[in-house]
Amino acid sequence: MTGNPIKVLFLSPEVVPFAKSGGLADVAGSLPLALKRMGMDVVLVMPYYRTIKDKHLKGRWVVKDLEVPFGNDRLQADVFMTSLAKGIPVYLIDREDLYDRPNLYGTPRGDYYDNLERFAFFAHASLCLMESIDFRPDIIHCHDWQSGLIPAILKGPYGRSKHFSRTATIFTIHNLGYQGLFPAQKLPITGLDYRNFFHADGLEFWGNMSLLKSGIVYADAVTTVSPTYSMEIQTSEYGMGMEGILQYRQEFLYGILNGIDYHQWDPAKDKHIPETYYPNRMKGKMKCKDALIQEMNMDASFKNKPLAGMISRLDNQKGLDLLVAILEKILALDMGLIILGAGDVKIQRAIRKTADHHPGRVGLYIGFNEPLAHRIMAGVDIFLIPSRYEPCGLTQMYALKYGTVPVARATGGLQDTIIPFDKSTGEGNGFLFGPHAAEAFLASIEQALECYKDPQTWKRIQSNGMQADFSWDRSAEMYTEVYQTVLKKRNILA
Ligand code: ADP
């Protein structure tokens, strides 16, 4: 890159290693590093959640009593600064009444009742902080509904601010299913007015306001996390009511596949697994399988039988209904299954019910456990992802790297990363099924098991997968192109 570095303010409600509930955090922890490598000047801002405070991070308080407009009031916040890596500061907005809670967004009983207040405050505080530390971003890159207000308030209350007069916004949709819906009468909290913003071409969505729609409508460009998902969300099947506005913004909508962080996810150097391995030395994978079978109290006979795994939020999106529907049939195929998941209590119960009937054949861990996720990825043969929809999906990319063969639904990023295995050519790295139907899922698993029986064929599929490269640098180049396009449009870049 020539000239002055592009200055990027990166706004995500979760960032690895500070706070994580899903793939968004992985992305927000990796993409800034890749942008920095490309020569950009990147800063991050996120809420100072209790779970981050509990980590006692190194850093210092940089701003006390930052004045933040909030509805008709002005509230104060303190700001703690730590870093993501050398040269990438992370500013943590501290307000105990909003962020000092056990979870990020809610409890199993539902979302926190004041999430609008929490994330509207986050949006305003982030902009006020930029003024206070005199960082003038060229790009504000917002992620998901929690930062979806920013593109709108930059056109509303901050529209005349000289500080942001050269700032363009990018809004990335990681999951259209989370729309940030709040009652219309709460709009004044956001600092926006009804006349200019609350209408069908604005952030109004069937009588409510949607912070996701705010990001889609008001950002200079919208991106989502895979090419296939960027097409799917413009259809009524996947658009969740947003398809019209997404079609309208088509010219500014880009699908950029997420990368994965090979420092964290590489079986050749993974610190969480009992033995490392790589394509020419796969013995380590057998050891990982043996250890996992013991750890999960599985029947020892599975050492020589196919073992499948799943690591997932327990949510309808992830197609667990299909898994529950075929669980008994899978077990009848003499395949073992290990599931790591947290979320919906009803789904937990349904899986546990079958698991309890088959001790030693289903290993179930309910909860969030990062080291165990690595051990499962390394220790199983087959990885199941029957998602109803999947914007990008990271676990299939981890699985490929770990020589664990994915069986997944042909949708979104799964379709963009998994190539169905073709026996006649020896090409392909996994198995895909089309319709969201239990029989189709089962047939795909049976296809995988057929190939598993022949060690040479299986080796070939594994090795095809392990060669795939989903590192971040390629995606970061594509984001850079989008940044440059919007800056050129605003006549900021020559
Ligand atoms: P999503 O963001 O929709 O949840 P992704 O596949 O993009 O799905 O990312 C999920 C991330 O969360 C992966 O890094 C996966 O390993 C991790 N993960 C999901 N559930 C658990 C869990 N129960 N324990 C540990 N890691 C989990």
Side-chain angles (χ1 to χ4, degrees), residues 95-354:
R95 228 194 114 92
E96 285 166 8
D97 57 345
L98 297 177
Y99 309 125
D100 188 12
R101 316 243 173 121
N103 301 302
L104 303 189
Y105 313 126
T107 67
R109 286 164 182 253
D111 290 343
Y112 291 133
Y113 74 97
D114 57 351
N115 272 347
L116 177 67
E117 286 80 349
R118 299 174 76 226
F119 290 101
F121 186 79
F122 169 58
H124 284 274
S126 300
L127 296 184
C128 293
L129 176 65
M130 292 301 102
E131 291 173 336
S132 156
I133 62 170
D134 200 21
F135 185 88
R136 290 170 189 256
D138 298 303
I139 297 283
I140 302 186
H141 192 157
C142 307
H143 297 267
D144 276 355
W145 70 263
Q146 294 89 338
S147 51
L149 264 183
I150 299 270
I153 59 177
L154 279 170
K155 292 197 159 60
Y158 298 83
R160 287 167 190 269
S161 159
K162 281 216 173 98
H163 197 85
F164 299 107
S165 61
R166 295 163 62 84
T167 301
T169 52
I170 309 284
F171 181 67
T172 297
I173 302 167
H174 294 262
N175 192 331
L176 205 60
Y178 298 88
Q179 304 189 327
L181 295 176
F182 299 98
Q185 63 269 26
K186 281 191 157 191
L187 187 75
I189 289 169
T190 66
L192 299 171
D193 63 275
Y194 286 97
R195 192 168 63 84
N196 288 307
F197 292 91
F198 194 75
H199 48 73
D201 296 329
L203 51 67
E204 188 261 344
F205 188 67
W206 301 103
N208 284 314
M209 66 173 132
S210 160
L211 301 201
L212 181 90
K213 192 175 171 212
S214 165
I216 296 172
V217 169
Y218 295 107
D220 292 290
V222 179
T223 73
T224 189
V225 289
S226 71
T228 295
Y229 194 58
S230 76
M231 304 305 289
E232 286 175 340
I233 56 179
Q234 297 179 55
T235 66
S236 55
E237 189 183 351
Y238 291 96
M240 301 186 168
M242 298 283 176
E243 59 273 17
I245 185 69
L246 286 161
Q247 284 162 19
Y248 180 73
R249 297 237 55 200
Q250 191 181 42
E251 192 192 334
F252 305 95
L253 174 63
Y254 303 83
I256 302 177
L257 193 72
N258 284 335
I260 58 171
D261 183 351
Y262 287 119
H263 293 294
Q264 308 269 351
W265 293 94
D266 180 353
K269 46 186 189 225
D270 190 330
K271 292 191 182 72
H272 298 296
I273 62 179
E275 186 145 336
T276 54
Y277 59 92
Y278 46 88
N280 290 330
R281 198 187 163 281
M282 291 295 280
K283 267 195 195 144
K285 187 164 175 68
M286 278 308 298
K287 290 235 168 104
C288 292
K289 182 172 175 179
D290 291 355
L292 182 67
I293 285 171
Q294 268 198 11
E295 177 180 357
M296 299 300 290
N297 291 321
M298 304 281 289
D299 194 309
S301 69
F302 281 112
K303 282 182 181 179
N304 303 310
K305 291 178 188 170
L307 183 62
M310 196 163 174
I311 302 165
S312 177
R313 281 184 296 118
L314 300 181
D315 184 285
N316 236 343
Q317 176 208 335
K318 297 294 183 180
L320 287 133
D321 50 332
L322 299 191
L323 182 79
V324 170
I326 62 168
L327 211 43
E328 292 283 352
K329 287 183 182 154
I330 298 182
L331 297 177
L333 297 170
D334 221 7
M335 181 175 94
L337 181 61
I338 292 177
I339 302 169
L340 164 63
D344 192 304
V345 179
K346 274 194 215 130
I347 299 175
Q348 283 180 29
R349 275 196 213 116
I351 300 174
R352 197 180 286 286
K353 201 169 148 204
T354 313

Side-chain angles (χ1 to χ4, degrees), residues 272 292 295-296 311 338-340 364-365 369-378:
H272 298 296
L292 182 67
E295 177 180 357
M296 299 300 290
I311 302 165
I338 292 177
I339 302 169
L340 164 63
L364 181 58
Y365 184 107
N369 187 331
E370 185 91 26
L372 179 58
H374 287 248
R375 293 196 294 274
I376 294 176
M377 209 44 101

